[in-house]
Amino acid sequence: MQKTKLSSQTTRRIILNSQLLNGHNILPAGKDGSMTVIEKLGYVQIDTIAVINRAHHHSLWVRQPEYNEAMLHDLQSTDRKIFEYWGHAMAYLPMNDFRFYMPKMKNFENPSGKWTKDRLEKCEPLFPVILERIRKEGPLSAKDFESPDDKKGGTWWDWKPAKMALELLFWRGELMVSERRKFQKYYDLRERVLPSEVDTRMPDKSELSHFLVRRALDALGVVSERELQKFLQPGASRDGDMQVAGKRRLKQALLELIETGDVVALEIEADSTTDYFVFKSALEQSDNAATNETSVHILSPFDNLIIQRERMKSLFGFEYTLECYVPAAKRKYGYFVLPVLWGEKFVARFDAKAERKSKMLRVHKLIFEPEFTAYDEFVPVFVEKINAFAKFNRCEEVVIDTVVPKRNLAGLFKN
């Protein structure tokens, strides 16, 4: 296979341009801009952690500074331009891609995984009652199915049968999330949520593989075969019902795109032992993809750019682990640490919490990368960005408890 050699800098520029993080992107105003972001990235991951604004809002704000939560709500509940379903995790997805998620939905009609099979056997008798109630009453949430003696569960897999049945009907595509109210999902019948003009033809295996490969290349810019397999599909074998295109089929789709000249194989300076791939059009435009070296981005741990951690280590030299799942005594950086991208490089990270009652963004610890020295150039633009980040989190003050290595940043933040 003929390969084109690519420098580390050009690789990063193509990636950041594809991820709408090069500092030059101009988006449409309002919710059209939010839709452009979701369409370009292929998905925005939903997460429950709320020590700062949740990941789906954060990932949109990073790329669209004027973003507000009403934009995402309208795109889902009013405009019906996005829907919720499983990508590699639960995500907001472009409604026009709906048909390519139908194979996952079909898999849940007769799941292969023991965990899902057991719950389906237990909950399936409740399906007709739940569907009939929603048909008569309209969109309902899990709370609407609680009985007075229901105890508040600690985790979603502890839900009682009716709540689990709702989720299984959602996974099967018989229900869709009509909207969220204060993050609570409201389910409705598919035919009342899915616009009539949306294509619902079941894709064949070749169509599905080509969709996944094209989506990954468009969103990630430069991608390896391993990264292709993890894009919009869970990586763990226990999630087999959500894995709808295997390694062999994705490789075949990739080779077919190389054969047509749409895709180019790469040898990358940063990782010469791994084969990477790029759209020919993106490679040809790479000379015009220069990153704004002064732009600062504060990223969510679930941001599309960094969600594949090994990829960030290989291509950006940045090692990152989300430590909220690690016992406190074993954490190196903090509970919910946010990476900081400056131009094309990760230069710092910080552990933050929005203390909403006092309207304070508290940074427990700001840690600069070991090789970083350009404080004079970086700090002024970082201060501007973190003040904007505080405002996004409805905070009026920024307090930094600790800086590593020690720096005096007092007086730089708006109170």
Side-chain angles (χ1 to χ4, degrees):
M1 184 189 307
Q2 185 176 356
K3 298 179 187 178
T4 298
K5 291 189 176 182
L6 207 61
S7 70
S8 296
Q9 183 181 56
T10 302
T11 300
R12 290 192 293 265
R13 286 180 174 179
I14 292 173
I15 291 169
L16 294 175
N17 186 56
S18 297
Q19 284 283 299
L20 301 176
L21 290 172
N22 68 1
H24 295 300
N25 296 298
I26 299 174
L27 297 172
K31 60 186 176 182
D32 290 342
S34 304
M35 188 65 228
T36 298
V37 173
I38 297 170
E39 179 65 39
K40 174 61 176 169
L41 299 182
Y43 75 92
V44 170
Q45 183 172 340
I46 301 169
D47 196 76
T48 59
I49 298 174
V51 292
I52 57 171
N53 269 359
R54 289 188 172 98
H56 37 288
H57 299 306
H58 188 168
S59 295
L60 287 166
W61 173 81
V62 165
R63 294 160 174 85
Q64 185 190 14
E66 65 161 323
Y67 169 79
N68 64 65
E69 296 177 15
M71 296 176 187
L72 188 64
H73 181 269
D74 286 354
L75 288 172
Q76 179 181 37
S77 66
T78 304
D79 304 333
R80 304 298 194 201
K81 289 186 176 181
I82 60 174
F83 71 104
E84 289 187 37
Y85 199 66
W86 291 107
H88 74 278
M90 194 57 67
Y92 289 108
L93 304 156
M95 189 68 82
N96 287 337
D97 289 351
F98 181 84
R99 67 185 290 247
F100 296 104
Y101 294 88
M102 290 171 60
K104 291 183 185 182
M105 298 173 188
K106 187 172 179 60
N107 284 348
F108 284 113
E109 293 177 8
N110 184 24
S112 60
K114 184 179 184 304
W115 188 94
T116 312
K117 270 184 176 293
D118 290 347
R119 277 143 189 84
L120 180 61
E121 183 179 341
K122 184 177 181 180
C123 298
E124 196 165 21
L126 299 174
F127 287 3
V129 176
I130 289 172
L131 290 170
E132 183 59 24
R133 187 172 166 196
I134 290 175
R135 184 174 288 107
K136 289 181 177 178
E137 298 181 35
L140 297 175
S141 72
K143 287 184 177 181
D144 294 311
F145 291 87
E146 288 180 351
S147 60
D149 61 345
D150 269 348
K151 294 181 180 179
K152 196 169 185 179
T155 52
W156 66 270
W157 55 82
D158 292 328
W159 282 2
K160 292 193 174 182
K163 298 176 185 178
M164 191 67 240
L166 272 174
E167 200 71 1
L168 288 170
L169 285 164
F170 166 55
W171 294 358
R172 287 158 62 116
E174 295 181 55
L175 295 178
M176 294 181 71
V177 177
S178 179
E179 67 172 325
R180 283 184 182 252
R181 302 174 197 165
K182 296 182 179 179
F183 201 60
Q184 184 80 24
K185 288 186 283 190
Y186 281 76
Y187 303 89
D188 202 353
L189 302 178
R190 170 172 154 174
E191 58 264 30
R192 296 204 295 230
V193 176
L194 188 69
S196 59
E197 67 272 14
V198 171
D199 190 347
T200 56
R201 293 173 298 153
M202 182 69 72
D204 62 31
K205 292 179 179 180
S206 176
E207 282 183 293
L208 182 57
S209 299
H210 274 266
F211 164 77
L212 290 169
V213 170
R214 285 186 173 276
R215 264 280 177 223
L217 284 164
D218 196 40
L220 300 178
V222 172
V223 63
S224 69
E225 288 182 51
R226 184 178 180 185
E227 292 158 5
L228 272 177
Q229 293 164 36
K230 294 181 178 181
F231 188 78
L232 291 176
Q233 299 192 105
S237 58
R238 62 179 170 80
D239 299 318
D241 291 309
M242 289 181 269
Q243 294 169 332
V244 290
K247 180 179 179 180
R248 185 177 62 82
R249 290 197 175 275
L250 291 172
K251 178 66 174 288
Q252 181 60 36
L254 190 60
L255 291 174
E256 288 171 4
L257 289 169
I258 293 172
E259 183 70 23
T260 60
D262 293 321
V263 171
V264 175
L266 299 173
E267 179 183 322
I268 290 177
E269 178 186 2
D271 185 7
S272 59
T273 61
T274 303
D275 292 338
Y276 285 87
F277 305 89
V278 65
F279 272 133
K280 183 180 179 181
S281 57
L283 185 61
E284 290 172 344
Q285 295 166 16
S286 60
D287 289 341
N288 300 319
T291 305
N292 180 349
E293 293 296 332
T294 65
S295 63
V296 175
H297 298 294
I298 297 169
L299 301 180
S300 163
F302 302 100
D303 191 272
N304 300 53
L305 176 65
I306 64 166
I307 195 64
Q308 294 198 33
R309 313 301 193 205
E310 285 299 317
R311 170 179 167 85
M312 285 298 97
K313 182 178 177 180
S314 297
L315 301 181
F316 285 80
F318 184 68
E319 290 193 53
Y320 176 78
T321 302
L322 177 58
E323 296 181 323
C324 63
Y325 306 115
V326 176
K330 295 184 178 180
R331 290 175 193 148
K332 183 177 180 180
Y333 298 108
Y335 177 79
F336 201 69
V337 172
L338 312 178
V340 180
L341 179 70
W342 185 33
E344 298 169 5
K345 296 180 180 180
F346 287 95
V347 299
R349 62 188 87 196
F350 63 88
D351 182 23
K353 180 179 181 180
E355 298 180 354
R356 294 177 174 92
K357 286 186 178 180
S358 61
K359 296 186 177 181
M360 176 193 296
L361 180 71
R362 180 172 294 280
V363 177
H364 300 295
K365 188 186 293 185
L366 168 62
I367 310 106
F368 289 96
E369 294 302 289
E371 70 281 2
F372 186 74
T373 59
Y375 295 99
D376 290 345
E377 296 85 359
F378 172 73
V379 168
V381 289
F382 175 68
V383 167
E384 182 179 354
K385 180 59 69 171
I386 201 170
N387 280 326
F389 183 65
K391 184 178 179 181
F392 165 64
N393 281 278
R394 300 183 182 88
C395 293
E396 298 174 355
E397 180 183 5
V398 178
V399 173
I400 298 181
D401 294 334
T402 305
V403 181
V404 181
K406 189 173 182 180
R407 309 287 298 183
N408 183 10
L409 302 182
L412 293 175
F413 300 99
K414 294 179 181 178
N415 295 323

